[in-house]
């Protein structure tokens, strides 16, 4: 092959690459335009947004405040004479209100973490 034929082949390959990139970009742009139009049609079919007077309001007594209570684990009942308990035989809550409502505090140096919470050994 002559140099002119090689240059022509290289040039035509570059042109084909540019055309392929342009066509690919047009396909992607067309897909994005279609997706936006589809989203607009779906949004038009949805219920309208509520007006300001349709939003919930605070009660007349004012905002509801947080309530704190100390909970303790509720023991799982043991099966009597059977292999296991079935889910419908268990009660609904995993904890119950504790008799003692005083919050437990950690003692300094006794954080309860791994290793006993001491200052460590050198």
């Amino acid at each position: 092959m002559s140099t002119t034929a090689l240059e022509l082949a290289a040039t035509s390959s570059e042109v084909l690459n540019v055309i392929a990139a342009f066509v690919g970009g047009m396909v992607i742009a067309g897909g994005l335009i279609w997706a936006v139009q589809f989203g607009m049609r779906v949004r038009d079919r949805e219920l309208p947004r509520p007006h300001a007077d349709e939003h919930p309001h605070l009660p007349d007594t004012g905002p509801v405040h947080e309530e704190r209570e100390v909970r303790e684990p509720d023991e799982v009942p043991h099966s009597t004479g059977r292999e296991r308990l079935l889910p419908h035989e268990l009660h609904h809550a995993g904890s119950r209100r504790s008799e003692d409502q005083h919050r437990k505090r950690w003692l300094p140096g006794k954080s309860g973490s791994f290793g006993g919470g001491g200052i460590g050994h050198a």
Side-chain angles (χ1 to χ4, degrees), residues 71-76 91-96:
R71 311 251 334 146
E72 63 184 15
D74 200 2
E75 296 297 324
V76 176
H91 39 72
H92 65 283
S95 65
R96 63 177 181 266

Side-chain angles (χ1 to χ4, degrees), residues 8-47:
L8 182 62
T11 307
S12 65
S13 173
E14 290 174 7
V15 169
L16 289 177
N17 287 341
V18 169
I19 291 173
F22 180 74
V23 169
M26 292 299 287
V27 167
I28 291 173
L32 290 173
I33 290 171
W34 175 83
V36 167
Q37 288 178 343
F38 180 73
M40 290 170 63
R41 277 184 267 143
V42 167
R43 188 173 179 187
D44 288 342
R45 286 187 300 222
E46 292 177 351
L47 295 173

